[in-house]
């Protein structure tokens, strides 16, 4: 198995959507097409809010990505308008707007947790890899590549929900420092989104 990484290219977006869909649960309340669109919207948000983006390649195929915001309030000026345009278009559809609300809840929980974090740090906005290559140390490789490129030595934070692999983050030296339970509604059902803030000093 040949493994390497390279900088993100805009053409990678379509290849990353099915990988992110592997870990997202929309409760099967909508069409597959709309789940793809909602996932695309969240991916565009993450990409447009991170200035360090590196793609994982396994045997030449896109198999994951890490997105890190190293500069406060960073916005990708090429991608963010595309995100805003897609957001307006997709939210005009009632069913699609409903599942887009799920990603809104994730973003809101992350904002609350990171705003409460008083220390200056860098945030891993997104870290995913293909389920077919999990358990092979590739998520660690993406984080290690970032660590090697980082000369600031500032703390690194990340948010994840209750279904995350805590042992993976703890093995890499992260620890839970905060959490939030955010109520939301999906198709009339009241739910609770549990999110955790991890930090590595």
């Amino acid at each position: 198995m040949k493994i390497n990484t390279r900088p993100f290219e805009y053409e990678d977006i379509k290849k990353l959507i099915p990988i992110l869909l592997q870990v997202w649960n929309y409760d099967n309340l909508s069409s597959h097409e709309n789940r793809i669109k909602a996932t695309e919207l969240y991916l565009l948000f993450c990409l447009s809010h991170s200035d360090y983006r590196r793609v994982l390649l396994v045997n030449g195929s896109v198999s994951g990505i890490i997105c890190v915001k190293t500069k406060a309030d960073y916005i990708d000026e090429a991608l963010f308008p595309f995100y805003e345009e897609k957001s307006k278009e997709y939210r005009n559809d009632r069913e699609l707007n409903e599942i887009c609300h799920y990603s809104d809840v994730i973003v809101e929980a992350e904002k609350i947790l990171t705003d409460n974090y008083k220390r200056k740090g860098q945030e891993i906005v997104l870290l995913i890899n293909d389920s077919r290559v999990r358990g092979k140390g590739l998520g660690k490789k993406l984080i290690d590549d970032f660590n090697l490129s980082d000369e600031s030595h500032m703390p690194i934070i990340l948010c994840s929900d209750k279904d995350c692999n805590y042992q993976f983050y703890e093995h890499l030296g992260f620890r839970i420092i905060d959490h939030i339970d955010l109520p939301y509604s999906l198709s009339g059902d009241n739910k609770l989104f549990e999110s955790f803030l991890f930090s590595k000093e």
Side-chain angles (χ1 to χ4, degrees), residues 16 47 65 84 86 90 94 99 112 120 166 168 171-172 184 190-191 196:
L16 290 164
L47 290 167
I65 191 170
E84 288 188 307
K86 288 283 184 186
Y90 290 172
R94 188 188 61 77
I99 63 170
I112 292 169
K120 197 172 182 181
Y166 300 111
F168 169 73
H171 178 70
L172 295 177
Y184 70 103
N190 293 325
K191 296 178 177 289
F196 298 86

Side-chain angles (χ1 to χ4, degrees), residues 82-98:
F82 185 53
Y83 161 76
E84 288 188 307
E85 177 188 327
K86 288 283 184 186
S87 183
K88 284 181 184 175
E89 174 192 341
Y90 290 172
R91 290 172 194 275
N92 284 331
D93 179 281
R94 188 188 61 77
E95 180 190 81
L96 186 49
N97 182 59
E98 176 106 345

Side-chain angles (χ1 to χ4, degrees), residues 6-200:
R6 64 157 169 77
F8 164 77
E9 299 169 358
Y10 294 138
E11 295 75 24
D12 295 326
I13 291 173
K14 288 187 178 178
K15 298 170 187 174
L16 290 164
I17 289 171
I19 296 172
L20 186 53
L21 262 173
Q22 293 172 358
V23 296
W24 272 45
N25 178 12
Y26 292 109
D27 296 331
N28 297 318
L29 293 174
S30 61
S31 68
H32 181 65
E33 180 185 356
N34 278 349
R35 289 198 295 274
I36 289 173
K37 287 179 178 178
T39 303
E40 175 193 26
L41 200 59
Y42 180 71
L43 180 59
L44 286 171
F45 178 87
C46 293
L47 290 167
S48 63
H49 287 77
S50 53
D51 53 301
Y52 176 93
R53 301 169 298 200
R54 199 146 185 96
V55 170
L56 172 71
L57 299 175
V58 176
N59 297 329
S61 296
V62 172
S63 299
I65 191 170
I66 185 171
C67 300
V68 185
K69 179 165 58 175
T70 70
K71 301 170 187 170
D73 302 321
Y74 173 82
I75 296 289
D76 183 311
E77 293 182 0
L79 266 183
F80 190 66
F82 185 53
Y83 161 76
E84 288 188 307
E85 177 188 327
K86 288 283 184 186
S87 183
K88 284 181 184 175
E89 174 192 341
Y90 290 172
R91 290 172 194 275
N92 284 331
D93 179 281
R94 188 188 61 77
E95 180 190 81
L96 186 49
N97 182 59
E98 176 106 345
I99 63 170
C100 283
H101 178 60
Y102 180 70
S103 62
D104 294 340
V105 172
I106 294 172
V107 170
E108 184 182 354
E110 290 176 357
K111 183 174 184 339
I112 292 169
L113 287 170
T114 55
D115 283 353
N116 286 342
Y117 182 73
K118 301 303 182 189
R119 296 194 59 188
K120 197 172 182 181
Q122 304 171 107
E123 180 186 357
I124 297 177
V125 179
L126 182 65
L127 174 64
I128 54 167
N129 60 12
D130 194 310
S131 61
R132 292 169 292 187
V133 293
R134 284 192 198 129
K136 301 182 185 299
L138 303 183
K140 181 180 184 304
K141 175 170 178 47
L142 286 169
I143 292 177
D144 286 346
D145 281 4
F146 170 69
N147 287 334
L148 288 172
S149 72
D150 176 33
E151 297 178 354
S152 70
H153 305 296
M154 288 194 298
I156 304 172
I157 59 173
L158 65 89
C159 294
S160 194
D161 64 31
K162 66 176 181 179
D163 297 321
C164 75
N165 185 345
Y166 300 111
Q167 292 81 9
F168 169 73
Y169 295 126
E170 289 169 352
H171 178 70
L172 295 177
F174 287 87
R175 62 186 180 88
I176 295 174
I177 59 170
D178 201 358
H179 80 281
I180 187 172
D181 297 335
L182 199 62
Y184 70 103
S185 178
L186 189 61
S187 291
D189 291 335
N190 293 325
K191 296 178 177 289
L192 201 62
F193 182 76
E194 300 174 62
S195 186
F196 298 86
L197 180 66
F198 290 80
S199 174
K200 182 177 181 182

